[in-house]
């Protein structure tokens, strides 16, 4: 706002004592002080309010005004409560330094002036920022990227004095704003605060409540705004659970409950602008996703190892630029299951797995250059290259460990899944050739099944936990395999032949759904009571209990060996 506008506001009761030629100066803020030299606390453009308690004699006015002028303040407003008037020596000093001087009547509180100026300046800044945001948006949609999320957050800091951070759904810090008037970035949020904010956003968004969601941690209140890409902008036509685990979140250190509609609209515009940058990031993943999908299809269709190896040679330089030799590979399989719903789990699990595989200590949006994730059905499958493996030939040295993979993301994801969802994840050992990739995929899938048999919303298992059974299957003698499978499955096969009861397909589906009655009934298009009857018949014929992990595992192995 301009200084002249202060004189036009009768409620402020200001009287101009000097500096009429300088009334077009802009005011950026207000500071109240009675320090003899307050310059260290000034950044320029302020209206300085003073009660004159610093003045002991006439000689004090010159150094006081000089320090203000050198700091670049807009004007001085002096109250009359101390002396009953504004001293002439102050009027002279302000005239000498061409600094406008106002007299504040003793009936007018400094708080009234401060509130008026802050309200006017904030409104103008919001308008200026809206124009900048709009210009930034047009620039990005018509040409190269506009600088990433950091640029947008810097606008919030410099134009609205808002501290803000951009977080991934797992609580990883992607970007942060700079302090107002500073070239330095704001201090990074502690990892535990990031995780808590991400958890609060996931839990609140899953309820379907409109944002922003407000969270108070200690003495600080944050307002949380979801950031969705353009492909995730139609929540009314899709299950909210398809997006909640992949949304970024803009955390603003402020209570948005006090904001005007215009200010809220502005922040929603900021999230849309960040979403443009996110779309660019997602587009950059297209090549890696396509490579993973092609390799996966070759592996699952039983393609020749030479064909798979050729595809891996294409993938290696894309995922590990500059690598001279073919890396080792690990496979990670993840699945998100929702109880009692038809949400499409594949794409959201794909996006979530891409985030989980990132080093939690890394920052920035471009963090997944070495990650290739495909999805098939409700599964997401990651092909992870390793530059080197220093362990034994089983690949147990360098590489991804299942427990470590979820250590930093378990709390926020548990909050996002609490109530009706689960994330299960399996990790294979490292393999060094195309011949081993199919086994690695099966191994990761088996590990995920082991994880699914555990308690908890977020569970993982690694290849080390499969050594007692899955890895031994190829070495079981044929006569032992036949006897084992016959003892468990022959009664069911005989019953199916006589009654067409489909007990074997029911058993396979039940195990594949990790013992979930609702998911299995939905997959088989059966009523849950019909499914319970069939499972009861299986237990009666075999003498086993499908609520026990040991019996589930025996059936699983029998089906795998048959």
């Amino acid at each position: 706002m301009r200084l002249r506008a202060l004189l036009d506001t009768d409620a402020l009761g200001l009287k101009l004592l000097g500096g009429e030629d300088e009334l077009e100066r802009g005011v950026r803020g207000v500071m109240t002080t009675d320090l003899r030299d307050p310059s260290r606390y000034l950044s320029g453009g302020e209206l300085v309010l003073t009660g004159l308690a610093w003045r002991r004699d006439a000689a004090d006015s010159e150094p006081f005004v000089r320090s203000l002028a050198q700091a670049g303040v807009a004007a001085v407003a002096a109250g009359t409560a101390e002396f009953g008037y504004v001293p002439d020596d102050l009027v002279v000093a302000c005239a000498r330094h061409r600094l406008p001087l106002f007299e504040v009547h003793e009936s007018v509180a400094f708080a009234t002036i401060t509130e008026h100026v802050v309200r006017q300046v904030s409104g103008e800044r919001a308008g200026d920022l809206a124009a900048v945001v709009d210009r930034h948006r047009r620039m990005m949609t018509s040409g190269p990227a506009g600088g990433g999320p950091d640029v947008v957050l810097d606008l919030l800091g410099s134009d609205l004095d808002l501290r803000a951070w951009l977080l991934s759904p797992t609580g990883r810090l992607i970007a942060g704003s700079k302090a107002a008037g500073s070239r330095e970035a704001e201090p990074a949020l502690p990892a535990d605060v990031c995780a808590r904010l991400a958890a609060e956003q996931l839990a609140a968004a899953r309820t379907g409540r409109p944002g922003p969601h407000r969270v108070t941690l200690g003495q600080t209140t944050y307002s949380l705004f979801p950031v969705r890409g353009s492909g995730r902008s139609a929540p009314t036509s899709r299950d909210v659970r398809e997006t909640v685990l992949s949304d970024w979140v803009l955390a603003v250190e402020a209570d948005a409950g006090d904001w005007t509609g215009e200010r809220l609209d502005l922040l929603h515009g900021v999230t849309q602008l960040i979403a443009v940058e996110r779309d660019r990031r997602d587009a950059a993943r297209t090549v890696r996703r396509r490579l993973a999908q092609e390799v996966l299809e070759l592996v699952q269709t039983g393609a020749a190892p030479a064909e798979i190896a050729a595809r891996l040679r294409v993938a290696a330089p894309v995922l590990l630029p500059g690598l001279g030799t073919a890396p080792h590979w690990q496979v990670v399989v993840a699945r998100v299951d929702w109880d009692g719903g038809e949400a499409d789990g594949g794409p959201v699990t794909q996006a979530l797995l891409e985030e989980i595989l990132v080093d939690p200590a890394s920052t920035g949006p471009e963090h997944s250059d070495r990650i290739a994730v495909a999805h098939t059905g409700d599964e997401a499958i990651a092909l992870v290259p390793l530059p080197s493996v220093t362990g034994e030939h089983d690949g147990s040295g360098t590489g991804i460990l299942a427990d470590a993979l979820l250590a930093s993301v378990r709390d926020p994801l548990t909050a996002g899944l609490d109530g009706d969802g689960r994330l299960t994840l399996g990790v294979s050992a490292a393999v060094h050739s195309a011949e081993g990739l199919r086994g690695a995929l099966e191994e990761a899938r088996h590990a995920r099944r082991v994880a699914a048999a555990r308690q908890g919303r977020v569970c993982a298992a690694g290849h080390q936990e499969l050594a007692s059974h899955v890895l031994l299957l190829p070495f079981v003698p044929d006569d032992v395999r036949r006897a084992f499978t016959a003892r468990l499955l022959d009664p069911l096969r005989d019953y199916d032949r006589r009654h067409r009861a489909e007990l074997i397909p029911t058993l396979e589906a039940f195990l594949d759904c990790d013992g979930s009655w609702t998911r299995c009934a939905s997959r088989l298009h059966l009523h849950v009571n019909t499914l319970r009857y069939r499972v009861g018949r299986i237990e009666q014929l075999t003498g086993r209990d499908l609520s026990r992990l040991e019996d589930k595992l025996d059936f699983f192995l029998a089906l795998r060996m048959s």
Side-chain angles (χ1 to χ4, degrees):
M1 65 177 299
R2 303 297 176 185
L3 287 173
R4 189 177 301 279
L6 295 174
L7 292 176
D8 296 335
T9 306
D10 295 336
L12 301 182
L14 296 179
K15 179 181 177 181
L16 183 64
L17 300 181
E20 184 174 2
D21 295 338
E22 304 293 333
L23 292 181
E24 292 304 313
R25 290 186 181 186
V27 180
R28 294 185 54 203
V30 184
M31 179 184 180
T32 300
T33 183
D34 276 311
L35 294 174
R36 296 172 64 85
D37 181 4
S39 58
R40 73 186 71 179
Y41 304 108
L42 297 167
S43 58
E46 295 93 348
L47 171 65
V48 174
L49 305 176
T50 178
L52 302 180
W54 50 267
R55 183 183 180 276
R56 298 187 180 89
D57 55 46
D60 291 336
S61 292
E62 169 61 26
F64 177 78
V65 173
R66 185 191 316 120
S67 69
L68 299 184
Q70 290 174 347
V73 303
V76 179
T80 58
E82 182 78 13
F83 299 105
Y85 61 94
V86 177
D88 289 341
D89 47 274
L90 180 60
V91 176
V92 171
C94 286
R96 181 180 299 117
H97 292 280
R98 300 180 64 82
L99 192 61
L101 175 63
F102 297 95
E103 177 187 279
V104 182
H105 193 272
E106 63 181 6
S107 64
V108 179
F110 281 177
T112 301
I113 299 173
T114 299
E115 182 181 356
H116 174 81
V117 172
V118 169
R119 186 167 58 247
Q120 295 297 316
V121 170
S122 295
E124 292 177 2
R125 284 182 178 176
D128 291 344
L129 179 58
V132 173
V133 167
D134 184 62
R135 183 170 66 253
H136 198 73
R137 180 186 292 112
R138 291 197 304 269
M139 178 177 68
M140 288 194 302
T141 55
S142 62
D150 299 272
V151 172
V152 183
L153 298 188
D154 289 345
L155 292 176
L156 290 178
S158 62
D159 286 54
L160 289 184
D161 295 336
L162 289 176
R163 304 175 71 201
W165 297 268
L166 185 62
L167 308 175
S168 77
T170 62
R172 189 179 60 84
L173 183 64
I174 296 173
S177 59
K178 292 185 176 67
S182 171
R183 295 183 179 181
E184 299 297 326
E186 291 281 3
L189 282 181
D192 60 332
V193 175
C194 291
R196 177 72 181 279
L197 292 177
E200 293 286 349
Q201 169 63 20
L202 287 172
R206 230 175 31 78
T207 67
R209 300 199 313 268
H213 307 297
R214 288 172 287 162
V215 179
T216 299
L217 303 181
Q219 302 298 316
T220 306
T221 298
Y222 299 89
S223 295
L224 308 178
F225 297 81
V227 177
R228 299 186 176 102
S230 60
R232 306 175 178 87
S233 58
T236 57
S237 62
R238 302 176 62 182
D239 193 316
V240 67
R241 297 175 300 186
E242 294 181 35
T243 65
V244 66
L245 293 177
S246 57
D247 290 346
W248 285 354
V249 56
L250 177 65
V252 180
E253 189 181 295
D255 188 345
D258 300 330
W259 288 2
T260 63
E262 291 79 4
R263 196 176 181 90
L264 284 172
D265 288 343
L266 176 60
L267 263 293
H268 286 301
V270 170
T271 64
Q272 293 171 5
L273 189 57
I274 296 173
V276 174
E277 295 287 350
R278 177 171 186 175
D279 286 342
R280 294 182 185 278
R281 189 285 313 262
D282 287 344
R285 288 181 170 180
T286 302
V287 172
R288 297 190 294 274
R289 286 177 170 178
R290 186 171 64 246
L291 285 172
Q293 199 74 41
E294 291 173 352
V295 173
L296 176 62
E297 290 175 359
L298 290 174
V299 171
Q300 292 192 132
T301 56
E307 188 176 358
I308 299 174
R311 187 62 59 187
L312 289 177
R313 284 194 294 271
V314 172
V318 174
L319 302 178
L320 289 175
L323 190 65
T325 59
H328 291 72
W329 301 89
Q330 272 184 288
V331 175
V332 181
V333 173
R335 177 167 171 160
V336 173
D337 290 305
W338 301 99
D339 292 339
E342 298 296 331
D344 187 0
V348 69
T349 310
Q350 180 183 41
L352 184 60
L353 183 56
E354 287 172 333
E355 179 60 39
I356 289 173
L357 288 170
V358 178
D359 180 354
S362 67
T363 59
E366 296 299 332
H367 53 261
S368 56
D369 289 345
R370 298 185 177 186
I371 300 167
V373 182
H375 76 84
T376 174
D378 288 334
E379 281 185 338
I381 301 170
L383 189 65
V384 182
L386 303 174
S388 62
V389 175
T390 58
E392 300 297 328
H393 294 295
D394 64 358
S396 61
T398 301
I400 296 171
L401 299 177
D403 288 339
L405 198 58
L406 294 182
S408 64
V409 303
R410 181 172 275 107
D411 288 344
L413 292 183
T414 297
L417 292 162
D418 189 30
D420 63 348
R422 294 194 74 205
L423 168 68
T424 51
L425 186 145
V427 182
S428 79
V431 296
H432 66 278
S433 66
E435 289 85 350
L437 206 55
R438 184 171 185 179
L441 175 59
E442 289 301 313
E443 192 174 66
R445 282 177 166 160
H446 295 329
R448 192 204 65 78
R449 291 177 184 274
V450 171
R454 295 172 174 168
Q455 298 296 316
R457 294 289 172 185
V458 179
C459 299
H463 62 91
Q464 302 92 334
E465 300 171 66
L466 305 181
S468 63
H469 52 276
V470 175
L471 295 185
L472 295 179
L473 292 183
F475 306 101
V476 176
D478 288 343
D479 56 339
V480 175
R481 293 162 67 99
R482 285 192 294 269
F484 182 78
T485 57
R487 187 163 55 249
L488 280 177
L489 301 183
D490 280 357
L492 305 182
R493 290 170 177 152
D494 292 340
Y495 192 89
D496 281 347
R497 279 195 296 268
R498 293 195 307 270
H499 303 283
R500 298 182 181 179
E502 298 186 341
L503 296 185
I504 292 290
T506 299
L507 176 62
E508 291 175 332
F510 187 75
L511 294 176
D512 192 52
C513 291
D514 304 322
S516 169
W517 296 98
T518 54
R519 291 202 306 274
C520 185
S522 176
R523 175 178 296 188
L524 296 175
H525 305 289
L526 297 175
H527 192 278
V528 172
N529 288 341
T530 304
L531 175 61
R532 291 186 185 278
Y533 173 82
R534 289 187 182 180
V535 171
R537 179 63 68 182
I538 292 171
E539 293 174 335
Q540 181 184 26
L541 292 170
T542 61
R544 299 301 184 103
D545 182 358
L546 278 168
S547 67
R548 298 177 66 248
L549 176 60
E550 293 84 354
D551 288 342
K552 286 181 182 177
L553 183 57
D554 283 346
F555 278 120
F556 169 74
L557 292 174
L559 290 168
R560 292 297 301 166
M561 291 190 295
S562 63

